[in-house]
Structures are given as structure tokens and as C-alpha cells.
Amino acid sequence: MKRTFLMPLILLTLGCSSQNEEQPSTNEASTFEGTKQGGAGEENYGQSTLYALVEANAEDFSKAAANKDIGFSMGKDDARKVNGVINLKISGKWKPLEVFRDTLLNTNHPKTREYRYLGRNKDINKYLVAGTSYKDYQTYLVDIDTGEIMATTWTEPIVSPDKRYLANVSLPTAMEPSPNGIQVWKVAEQGRTKTIEQYIEIEQQEWEPFEMYWESSRFIIIKMIPMKKYALLQGEPKQDDFSYLRLTIK
């Protein structure tokens, strides 16, 4: 169970670097498999045909963080909100997206919902919109040409250096039920459209993620706290409380 002293819902700062790696040979989705195991010189936190998750360290995280980049940027005339509805330029023309309509703002109603435009990424041709409710936070990848929602993610995803993947961790929140882990998405060509397919989802209760950065196009460093330690914390975590993982995308 997650601790009640956790920070409120926030957008995590994610990042990426510029090194490229080899393309994996399959695109099937994968979920978390296995528990922490002993390895040769490092702990293994899970693996599948699509990924391996092992220990990393603070230096790895710092180096990856130094290469961070902004995945989505806001243009001056990309979006506007009219009567509580987000309008986006779809194929160059303004279009209201009713699915992003604010609901019951400034109330304590459990169905309160507010949407914010977060930016666009030209490389994958997608807008990013965030939705916040009484107990939930999600982001939505919207195709710039069609206005279709291509994927719904736990938090703001960051594009890999080779522009072929996106990744995001869950929010460190006390709200339950809520996801806990990391998602990786694959950018796929489908005609003239770039689709977003879920590639890996690791949802578990062994560690609580806080931040992630792309170390290269196939490696992600995750800043986390093991759940056993997390349950014993009194107040906000200190820097020494954190541990680190390296996710390898095969």
C-alpha cells in the first residue's frame, strides 16, 4: 500500500540522450515478469523477451539526466481553450476536441475533470494533452493530422533519442488504485500515419518510481525507492533513500 505522505500529483521531468542502438526484433507487448533475483555482480529486477531490468547507480542517473531533452514543446498558436474545450490545429485547421472538455471545475465533485495542453512533438507528429481528475492523472497523444487519440499514458512520455520509442513512469502518489511502474511505447509507421503501440508495461509493487531519463536509445535509468524502505519513511524521501534501475529494451 502506498504511503499517505507522498507528494501530490506532479509532472515528472523526464529526459533522453543521443546515442542510438539496434532495433529489437519483435513488437509484442510485455508486462512485468519475475521478482528480484541474484545476478553476477548486480540484482535482476525482472526480464522478458523484450526487456531486462537490473541495478544501476546514482552516477548512471546523473549522466543520463545531463543529456535530457524536452520531448514536447509549446508553440504560440498550437492550442487554445474555448468554453472549456481544448481546440487544436488538426491538418492546419482549428478543431474543438469535445473529449477534452473541462467538467465541474472549482468543485469537490468526484467527476471533476480538467485538461491542459502540454505541447507537440514534430518527430512523431503528435500533440500531448494532460487530464486531471479528483483521483486520476493521464496524458493523451493526439495525432496532428487526424485529431485521433493514439495512446493514453500514465504521465508525460519522453521520446527516445532515435525517435522510435517513448517511455514514462507512473506518478508517486498515495491515490489508490493507481499504476506503479513504467510504460514503453513503440512508434510504428502505418501508411502516412505514425501510430503509438504499447511495447512494455511493468506494473508491480516492489519499487516506487520517481524519475527516469533515456541513457541511450535502448537504455533507461529509473530513480526509485524499494517498497520495503518506502513503507518505513517518515516524511519526504531524502537523496540517500533512492536506488536506481537500468531498463534495457531488447
Side-chain angles (χ1 to χ4, degrees):
M1 180 176 293
K2 297 186 178 181
R3 301 284 290 175
T4 57
F5 59 75
L6 294 176
M7 65 185 70
L9 292 177
I10 56 173
L11 274 177
L12 300 181
T13 303
L14 310 179
C16 66
S17 66
S18 59
Q19 181 181 347
N20 291 325
E21 304 290 339
E22 205 174 330
Q23 182 180 6
S25 59
T26 179
N27 63 357
E28 62 177 306
S30 174
T31 55
F32 179 75
E33 296 180 8
T35 58
K36 186 171 70 172
Q37 305 168 6
E42 61 185 11
E43 296 287 354
N44 184 344
Y45 278 73
Q47 61 184 337
S48 77
T49 58
L50 300 184
Y51 73 87
L53 191 63
V54 299
E55 278 188 316
N57 57 50
E59 183 179 359
D60 296 327
F61 182 80
S62 296
K63 288 180 179 179
N67 294 318
K68 67 180 179 181
D69 192 11
I70 297 176
F72 292 82
S73 58
M74 292 188 184
K76 183 178 179 181
D77 298 315
D78 285 347
R80 59 192 181 192
K81 186 174 284 189
V82 180
N83 296 324
V85 177
I86 287 183
N87 288 235
L88 298 174
K89 279 189 176 179
I90 305 299
S91 292
K93 297 181 180 179
W94 285 110
K95 180 179 179 180
L97 300 182
E98 286 292 331
V99 68
F100 299 135
R101 175 182 287 276
D102 294 342
T103 305
L104 299 170
L105 296 186
N106 303 315
T107 72
N108 292 323
H109 197 284
K111 292 186 178 181
T112 296
R113 193 79 178 169
E114 183 176 11
Y115 296 94
R116 293 185 299 114
Y117 173 70
L118 298 182
R120 67 174 177 172
N121 185 292
K122 293 182 179 179
D123 293 313
I124 63 171
N125 200 42
K126 300 292 179 285
Y127 291 120
L128 188 66
V129 176
T132 305
S133 69
Y134 183 68
K135 290 185 177 181
D136 189 30
Y137 178 88
Q138 292 176 320
T139 59
Y140 307 89
L141 289 157
V142 181
D143 190 81
I144 291 175
D145 293 330
T146 67
E148 179 183 356
I149 296 176
M150 306 301 290
T152 302
T153 66
W154 294 338
T155 56
E156 178 182 354
I158 294 300
V159 183
S160 65
D162 63 1
K163 319 302 180 188
R164 289 157 63 182
Y165 293 91
L166 302 94
N168 59 275
V169 293
S170 56
L171 284 172
T173 173
M175 296 294 186
E176 294 189 14
S178 59
N180 191 77
I182 185 170
Q183 295 176 308
V184 178
W185 308 82
K186 187 173 184 179
V187 180
E189 301 281 350
Q190 189 173 24
R192 297 177 61 185
T193 303
K194 290 186 177 181
T195 63
I196 307 296
E197 302 171 354
Q198 187 175 97
Y199 191 65
I200 297 168
E201 181 173 291
I202 303 174
E203 186 171 5
Q204 43 68 59
Q205 294 300 321
E206 295 186 3
W207 43 271
E208 179 82 25
F210 281 75
E211 294 181 81
M212 59 141 280
Y213 290 97
W214 285 98
E215 185 178 37
S216 72
S217 294
R218 293 296 182 276
F219 297 92
I220 296 169
I221 306 297
I222 304 167
K223 182 179 183 178
M224 62 81 168
I225 297 180
M227 283 296 191
K228 290 182 179 179
K229 178 185 288 188
Y230 199 50
L232 300 176
L233 291 179
Q234 300 295 323
E236 295 294 331
K238 298 178 176 60
Q239 191 60 40
D240 290 343
D241 294 321
F242 291 104
S243 298
Y244 303 88
L245 298 173
R246 174 179 285 107
L247 175 67
T248 301
I249 301 172
K250 296 180 180 180

